[in-house]
Amino acid sequence: MGQVATALALALLAATDWSPDGMLGVLQDVFGRRHRFLPALVREVRAVYRTAPQDAPRELAAVIRRSTALTAALERARVAGRPLVIAHHPVSPGSEDRQEPAPAPAPASATPAPPPRTLPALAALLEVTPGELDWLADTGGWNRRAPAGPLHHYRYEWRSRPGRVPRLLEVPTERMRAAQRILLHEVFALLPLHDAAHGFVPGRSALTAARLHTGRDVVIALDLVTFFTRVTAGRVYGALRQEDTPERVALALTGLVTNRVPMRIIGAMPPGGDPDERFALRQALAAAHLPQGAPTSPALANLAIRRVDSRLAGYAEAADATYTRYADDLTFSGPVALRRRADAFIRGVTRIVEDEGHLVNRQKTRVRPAATSQRVTGIVVNEHTALPRVEFDALKAILHNCAERGPESQNHDGHSDFRAHLLGRLSWARDLNPSKAERLEREFARIRW
């Protein structure tokens, strides 16, 4: 059935007339004769597509493959012992593979170019040949099956965590990282995200997220398990197609930013963690997923999780709550009514998260009423944003000791530029709470460098 559906799809995409008669004519050419089921097939296809889906040959083939008319015709042919014979197999119309000249470099002040719409344009953007693009995208999963060697796109580092499941860093090679960085800045940075996303988004940060939760009666924090690895290639591909990315380009982009971990690496997982969590991690790593270590993974995770953000934002709004997400940290805040039904609210959030293919780390779920220290991504938000008291006191002590004993006495971690290090911490404290930071700045002014 697959070959027949593909042939019919290519024939329809090659048709110059997307009318019932025009479509029927090219389908008859495929078989060299008129079959009784073809008019019904044309009606089913036109019920889905009013115009030819030139950017989606695989999608069109899938629609034809599920067609009631074709399924019934193939079954009748099987019973009769007379299979449907393809007389003329059409070639791809090549709408996405036309050779195009590489675009001229744009002036620095020019508006960013739109994402590439063809494979040659994508190869030109990455400054690779079509063959190199196919190798980098690895849509056939060859890297996972190949023995260890210099042609692999990633190197792997297991990180043990006491009492927890180990973490696998998937570090792209220099060539793959260069391609991913181009895609990050030239393609993915241009795609829209949900307003709830604050991590790895230009103009947003942990601070912009924290400010939305100040002065609330309760702050509820949840954490997602193995965030990147649970964003599958299918979700990335679907998100790109939603942005009207042509099918073949979306497949290549998905291959460039996802990875399947070789079984020899999965088998070397260090001990640690719950058996069920270890099994789930093995399954996620074996499938194509966003690798933790690729520069594109945070941006693609934000893109692929937009539906989760949308559902959680709607759920929070119904409870008069505010929702933000910083990478895998989910934060909700609201009035007394939310505090009183926090357990039920968390169960609802968990159902939505699990329905979308992710998991909540129940051990990291926190409900913080106003009487406690409320924190969002490590920032205190009770009345206004501020450093946690322990961090503020520690930094103040370091600055005081630097002034009294000299900065060399406090550079325990061997920072090459200890002054710049302290200025960075002061700047963060000033961003969170300028009035309290003045006390720290007075101590810094006493230091003799």
Side-chain angles (χ1 to χ4, degrees):
M1 177 184 283
Q3 292 181 341
V4 173
T6 299
L8 295 177
L10 293 178
L12 288 174
L13 292 178
T16 57
D17 178 13
W18 191 262
S19 67
D21 290 341
M23 296 169 69
L24 188 59
V26 296
L27 293 182
Q28 289 175 181
D29 289 342
V30 172
F31 296 111
R33 53 173 292 193
R34 176 166 182 160
H35 285 286
R36 286 182 298 173
F37 75 91
L38 291 178
L41 175 60
V42 168
R43 288 193 295 272
E44 289 189 62
V45 172
R46 287 181 60 82
V48 179
Y49 301 106
R50 303 309 297 175
T51 59
Q54 294 290 354
D55 67 337
R58 285 163 50 101
E59 184 180 284
L60 176 58
V63 169
I64 294 173
R65 192 165 53 249
R66 293 192 296 267
S67 161
T68 303
L70 178 60
T71 302
L74 288 171
E75 178 60 21
R76 289 194 299 270
R78 186 190 66 79
V79 172
R82 295 193 299 270
L84 294 177
V85 178
I86 299 176
H88 302 97
H89 199 299
V91 297
S92 169
S95 61
E96 294 180 77
D97 291 325
R98 294 189 302 268
Q99 291 298 323
E100 298 181 355
S109 59
T111 302
R117 306 268 319 157
T118 67
L119 292 180
L122 177 59
L125 174 66
L126 299 179
E127 299 181 350
V128 298
T129 66
E132 290 171 330
L133 174 62
D134 193 41
W135 170 61
L136 286 171
D138 192 27
T139 53
W142 306 293
N143 265 259
R144 184 171 185 265
R145 299 189 297 271
L151 296 181
H152 277 259
H153 299 321
Y154 293 86
R155 61 180 177 85
Y156 303 94
E157 298 177 15
W158 279 108
R159 298 289 177 86
S160 296
R161 301 185 293 175
R164 301 170 62 190
V165 175
R167 173 177 294 164
L168 180 64
L169 293 184
E170 303 165 62
V171 184
T173 61
E174 183 176 346
R175 190 167 192 177
M176 176 62 86
R177 179 178 291 274
Q180 290 173 341
R181 287 194 181 281
I182 293 174
L183 294 177
L184 176 62
H185 297 296
E186 301 295 333
V187 179
F188 304 134
L190 307 179
L191 300 178
L193 302 175
H194 195 278
D195 290 341
H198 286 259
F200 316 106
V201 180
R204 306 180 204 170
S205 64
L207 180 55
T208 62
R211 284 173 175 160
L212 296 175
H213 300 285
T214 57
R216 308 307 297 269
D217 290 297
V218 66
V219 173
I220 300 173
L222 301 95
D223 182 81
L224 299 180
V225 176
T226 55
F227 178 49
F228 290 148
T229 55
R230 298 193 74 87
V231 178
T232 64
R235 290 186 179 274
V236 173
Y237 174 78
L240 292 172
R241 289 290 287 147
Q242 286 179 350
E243 294 302 317
D244 196 33
T245 306
E247 187 179 80
R248 294 177 185 175
V249 176
L251 284 170
L253 288 173
T254 301
L256 287 163
V257 299
T258 61
N259 181 44
R260 295 179 177 92
V261 177
M263 292 306 300
R264 59 184 173 80
I265 302 297
I266 298 176
M269 181 190 297
D274 178 80
D276 290 338
E277 292 182 1
R278 291 173 62 86
F279 177 74
L281 179 59
R282 287 193 186 96
Q283 285 189 310
L285 293 175
H289 62 278
L290 292 180
Q292 184 163 339
T296 46
S297 290
L300 265 298
N302 281 337
L303 181 68
I305 207 172
R306 284 183 305 186
R307 177 178 164 87
V308 179
D309 286 335
S310 181
R311 292 184 64 182
L312 291 178
Y315 184 71
E317 184 178 0
D320 193 23
T322 298
Y323 163 64
T324 63
R325 179 180 57 80
Y326 188 89
D328 55 358
D329 292 325
L330 314 180
T331 305
F332 303 85
S333 63
V336 174
L338 179 64
R339 185 187 67 194
R340 290 172 178 166
R341 58 184 300 270
D343 290 344
F345 183 82
I346 291 171
R347 287 195 296 270
V349 170
T350 302
R351 282 195 300 270
I352 292 173
V353 169
E354 292 180 350
D355 185 49
E356 294 294 333
H358 289 270
L359 292 175
V360 170
N361 188 338
R362 300 176 190 275
Q363 296 179 344
K364 289 190 174 182
T365 299
R366 298 287 185 271
V367 179
R368 297 184 174 101
T372 65
S373 177
Q374 297 174 323
R375 300 188 187 187
V376 176
T377 58
I379 301 171
V380 174
V381 296
N382 288 70
E383 296 179 4
H384 42 67
T385 57
L387 280 176
R389 181 60 180 268
V390 172
E391 293 183 26
F392 180 88
D393 290 345
L395 180 54
K396 183 181 177 183
I398 291 173
L399 295 173
H400 176 79
N401 291 336
C402 284
E404 297 294 327
R405 307 172 191 170
E408 297 80 6
S409 67
Q410 301 303 301
N411 189 10
H412 304 300
D413 295 327
H415 295 284
S416 57
D417 191 341
F418 191 45
R419 185 174 187 275
H421 168 75
L422 292 180
L423 283 173
R425 295 177 65 175
L426 277 175
S427 178
W428 177 239
R430 188 186 308 113
D431 288 342
L432 296 181
N433 191 329
S435 60
K436 288 195 69 174
E438 290 179 359
R439 297 165 58 188
L440 301 176
E441 290 168 341
R442 286 195 296 269
E443 289 289 348
F444 181 85
R446 296 175 53 222
I447 302 174
R448 294 183 297 276
W449 297 95

